[in-house]
Amino acid sequence: MKQSTFQLTNTNGVVVEFISLGARITAVKLPHDDQLIDIVVGYDSPEKCAQGDGYMGAICGRMANRIDQGRFSLDNTHYQLEQNDGNNHLHGGSKGYHTKVWEVKEISLSGYSSAYELYIFSPDGDQNYPGNLDIKVIYALSNNNELLIDYKAKTDKKTILNLTSHPYFNLKGVGEPSVLDHVLEINANHFTPIKNDGIPTGEIKSVRNTGMDFSAPTLLKDRVLGNDEYIKQKGGLDHNWVINKGEEKLVFAARVTEPLTGRTVEVHTTQPGLQVYTALHFDGSEIGKGGFPINKYSGIALEAQNFPDAPNHNNFPSTELSPGETYHQQVTYRFGY
């Protein structure tokens, strides 16, 4: 599959690259001493992206994250989705939006130095989800070093929808083996505890007096390699936090800092949740950029989204989308260096 690489650039010399397959973000390059440091974990070419980990940098859907047993109901109609993560459904299934070739066109967007609009049509019955869905995503880069991801979708039949972006960051650059020396801060007073298979119990629990409290900047290795019961359960972070909402449409969700270089990535979003994932399923068998293996803890994903398994929990924010409504969510990644 021949793939073109598209570039977003700004006046500061920041470069963001993506491909049409899965709308995958393949690089974020930040200036440093007359060179560019790529802080996104991934592969050396679009062809290797197609052969490698399917979710790396991609837009995931129709339902990002997990659905218990792959089952949900809408208006007393029961749906069975593919069980592609043990007994559960993950990230829209094995042929989700991360496998689709998106239409890409360059656009002008006020306040941004460069921008593209991406589009796919997801037909009724796609991966057994109901409703014909039109999805448009904008990628745009500002001169404030903010990467905007703007999602919009419409359906002709009631459906469920939860889109997220899945880049892995390592702020030290290509080939660095671990992010455990990065510092994480999350704007959340609560999280959603999970069972061993990653499905939420349904509880919305305070982070106080737990290792899930990242309300102050915290060195990752102190928690990931510590004794907190929730983190030991997964061997790292693969959890959803409930973002503290303010009056602003886009609210601060999280910040990751690499102390030696001073590089940062900050997330703002309209979404209610943030899944933080420390690349737990990698084992070195995937060969990434520069010929370096991709290992456990090689990167950190900051996935702004709705809560996992939300359709099966009435106390979680709704993922339902009806005809006449527009799904509209935004996330920005702001880069510092």
Side-chain angles (χ1 to χ4, degrees):
M1 181 186 299
K2 184 65 177 172
Q3 285 284 319
S4 298
T5 297
F6 301 89
Q7 278 195 345
L8 298 154
T9 59
N10 69 8
T11 56
N12 304 320
V14 174
V15 177
V16 176
E17 296 178 348
F18 69 93
I19 60 175
S20 58
L21 175 64
R24 298 181 193 187
I25 295 170
T26 55
V28 173
K29 299 176 180 179
L30 304 181
H32 176 76
D33 292 343
D34 298 324
Q35 57 181 325
L36 289 174
I37 304 298
D38 186 358
I39 61 166
V40 166
V41 180
Y43 304 96
D44 280 326
S45 69
E47 290 73 28
K48 289 183 178 178
C49 288
Q51 298 163 8
D53 182 86
Y55 304 122
M56 186 83 76
I59 287 178
C60 300
R62 190 172 295 196
M63 287 294 294
N65 219 305
R66 293 175 176 88
I67 301 288
D68 188 17
Q69 307 292 309
R71 298 172 186 162
F72 71 97
S73 297
L74 271 178
D75 296 339
N76 297 317
T77 299
H78 304 293
Y79 295 89
Q80 178 66 59
L81 306 172
E82 179 188 7
Q83 293 165 291
N84 63 317
D85 180 56
N87 290 324
N88 302 317
H89 179 79
L90 177 66
H91 289 329
S94 59
K95 296 181 180 178
Y97 299 161
H98 63 290
T99 69
K100 310 298 185 188
V101 176
W102 294 61
E103 296 177 22
V104 180
K105 66 177 181 180
E106 193 166 10
I107 62 170
S108 295
L109 189 65
S110 177
Y112 292 87
S113 57
S114 57
Y116 288 87
E117 182 182 87
L118 298 88
Y119 171 82
I120 57 168
F121 172 70
S122 179
D124 183 27
D126 186 5
Q127 305 307 295
N128 216 32
Y129 288 96
N132 292 300
L133 203 62
D134 287 285
I135 304 172
K136 290 182 179 180
V137 175
I138 291 174
Y139 285 163
L141 182 65
S142 78
N143 290 327
N144 293 322
N145 304 328
E146 288 185 344
L147 173 63
L148 168 70
I149 305 177
D150 182 283
Y151 308 91
K152 285 184 179 174
K154 291 187 175 182
T155 185
D156 65 352
K157 187 193 323 188
K158 196 171 188 179
T159 190
I160 56 174
L161 182 60
N162 180 28
L163 300 175
T164 197
S165 178
H166 208 305
Y168 292 90
F169 297 104
N170 187 319
L171 297 177
K172 291 182 292 187
V174 169
E176 294 291 342
S178 173
V179 294
L180 292 183
D181 53 2
H182 290 35
V183 172
L184 174 63
E185 179 182 357
I186 305 175
N187 176 29
N189 294 335
H190 297 84
F191 73 105
T192 51
I194 54 176
K195 298 176 287 186
N196 288 337
D197 62 356
I199 296 296
T201 64
E203 182 183 7
I204 296 176
K205 185 176 177 63
S206 172
V207 299
R208 287 187 59 137
N209 302 315
T210 76
M212 306 298 282
D213 188 352
F214 287 88
S215 56
T218 304
L219 189 64
L220 273 173
K221 67 181 176 184
D222 287 349
R223 295 291 173 81
V224 170
L225 303 180
N227 289 314
D228 179 78
E229 60 177 306
Y230 300 103
I231 297 175
K232 285 179 71 175
Q233 179 186 25
K234 298 298 290 186
L237 301 183
D238 189 11
H239 301 79
N240 170 66
W241 278 262
V242 180
I243 301 305
N244 296 333
K245 287 294 192 178
E247 295 301 317
E248 306 89 353
K249 188 179 179 187
L250 276 165
V251 300
F252 169 66
R255 181 186 299 108
V256 176
T257 304
E258 201 289 296
L260 285 180
T261 63
R263 295 188 193 111
T264 59
V265 57
E266 192 171 289
V267 183
H268 290 73
T269 188
T270 57
Q271 291 273 28
L274 183 77
Q275 185 87 8
V276 180
Y277 180 51
T278 50
L280 302 180
H281 70 286
F282 292 103
D283 60 6
S285 58
E286 293 274 341
I287 302 302
K289 294 173 181 176
F292 293 99
I294 303 173
N295 292 302
K296 187 177 182 178
Y297 311 134
S298 284
I300 183 169
L302 306 162
E303 307 161 55
Q305 56 184 262
N306 207 318
F307 299 176
D309 199 35
N312 294 314
H313 299 274
N314 292 332
N315 59 325
F316 287 4
S318 175
T319 57
E320 293 182 5
L321 181 68
S322 295
E325 298 176 342
T326 299
Y327 174 95
H328 187 205
Q329 299 287 351
Q330 293 180 319
V331 59
T332 64
Y333 293 110
R334 180 185 298 163
F335 306 105
Y337 53 92

